[in-house]
Amino acid sequence: MSAKSVINKELFTPHDERMLVAVQVKRRTKKKIPFLATGGQGDYMTFICLSVTNKKPSHVSITKVKQFQGSSSFVKRSQWTIDQLRQVNGIDANKDCPEFDLLFDNGLDQWVASSAGEKSTFIQILHHTCQRYCLSRKPEFVNCQSKLLGGNSILHSAADSVTSAVQKASQALNERGERLGRAEERTADMMSSAEQFAVTAHKRKREMFCRMFIASIYLKFQQHQQNCSL
């Protein structure tokens, strides 16, 4: 199971939330943190996670999750609501790059994603989520490639793929229904023919029985006449 799947299972699912996307990051600028604040646990991996509650009304959160060296578990370190997000800075709108900034009401975090592609996916889903769930003030997206904010986005492509798959499945079901309909018609015709054959056979059997009975009586009558003549 991947680290992101474990994070979703351990940290979000138990609270009736689902993780929409996560990106593994490192700080671009080292933040001076007192020794006691980190507990002296050494190196760690950091993930920025976007999640939404399953119950309505939906609440969207951005959570910083860490896994410390030597530990198999993940822990939540900081969390913000989507309404506290003020700006998403993609750093360079002209090329793919792993750097991005998140500006909240109470501070700025400057990150480097593990890859430019992972950062792009995160920003794209974050933008889509903000458009859907931020009803009043939406955060500003600056220096982001246009493909991430609409148009030929991964989300739209995925939606198109799902729609296409549904249409193909529907067409296949319709074709299968037509084949089943034709098979049912053929079966009904065969049953009707079999029934008619059975009726005809029964009639012929009765006719043959009657003829044999009459022939038997006639033979007995002939024998009786011969006996009488003797």
Side-chain angles (χ1 to χ4, degrees):
M1 185 179 294
S2 67
K4 295 176 184 179
S5 298
V6 175
I7 291 172
N8 184 48
K9 181 180 179 181
E10 292 185 356
L11 301 184
F12 295 103
T13 301
H15 298 283
D16 200 22
E17 295 178 84
R18 67 181 186 277
M19 191 175 72
L20 302 177
V21 67
V23 56
Q24 184 177 349
V25 296
K26 289 184 177 180
R27 289 192 179 276
R28 288 210 313 278
T29 56
K30 290 186 178 181
K31 195 172 184 179
K32 292 183 179 181
I33 303 176
F35 177 79
L36 292 176
T38 61
Q41 300 184 57
D43 292 336
Y44 52 83
M45 291 194 301
T46 303
F47 294 84
I48 304 298
C49 307
L50 181 67
S51 63
V52 62
T53 57
N54 292 318
K55 291 183 179 180
K56 307 295 183 181
S58 301
H59 296 283
V60 181
S61 301
I62 298 173
T63 307
K64 182 165 60 180
V65 173
K66 290 187 178 182
Q67 182 187 40
F68 290 95
Q69 186 177 24
S71 173
S72 60
S73 61
F74 295 86
V75 293
K76 293 181 179 180
R77 302 298 289 183
S78 304
Q79 190 171 59
W80 303 266
T81 66
I82 197 74
D83 294 326
Q84 292 177 294
L85 180 63
R86 291 292 167 257
Q87 186 185 86
V88 178
N89 189 340
I91 307 302
D92 195 329
N94 298 316
K95 66 177 182 180
D96 293 331
C97 66
E99 296 85 5
F100 68 98
D101 297 343
L102 298 178
L103 176 63
F104 297 97
D105 286 336
N106 57 353
L108 172 69
D109 282 335
Q110 297 177 312
W111 300 109
V112 179
S114 60
S115 69
E118 193 171 358
K119 165 220 169 174
S120 296
T121 301
F122 176 78
I123 288 182
Q124 192 169 60
I125 296 177
L126 177 59
H127 178 264
H128 174 79
T129 304
C130 291
Q131 298 305 307
R132 179 177 180 182
Y133 292 103
C134 294
L135 301 178
S136 55
R137 183 180 60 178
K138 292 180 173 60
E140 181 184 19
F141 284 75
V142 298
N143 300 320
C144 296
Q145 293 175 294
S146 59
K147 66 180 182 180
L148 305 181
L149 308 182
N152 299 324
S153 67
I154 295 173
L155 293 172
H156 292 160
S157 298
D160 292 341
S161 298
V162 171
T163 301
S164 177
V166 171
Q167 290 174 346
K168 290 180 180 178
S170 178
Q171 182 179 356
L173 288 174
N174 290 335
E175 293 175 354
R176 183 182 179 188
E178 291 175 359
R179 290 195 296 270
L180 288 175
R182 290 194 294 269
E184 289 176 355
E185 290 177 0
R186 289 195 295 270
T187 302
D189 291 340
M190 292 173 64
M191 290 179 65
S192 178
S193 298
E195 184 178 358
Q196 186 63 36
F197 176 80
V199 171
T200 302
H202 183 67
K203 286 182 179 179
R204 290 182 178 178
K205 184 178 180 181
R206 289 180 60 185
E207 291 175 356
M208 185 177 294
F209 176 79
C210 291
R211 289 175 183 175
M212 291 176 64
F213 180 74
I214 293 171
S216 175
I217 294 175
Y218 179 75
L219 289 173
K220 289 181 179 180
F221 178 75
Q222 290 288 338
Q223 290 175 356
H224 178 69
Q225 282 188 331
Q226 290 177 0
N227 292 334
C228 290
S229 62
L230 294 174

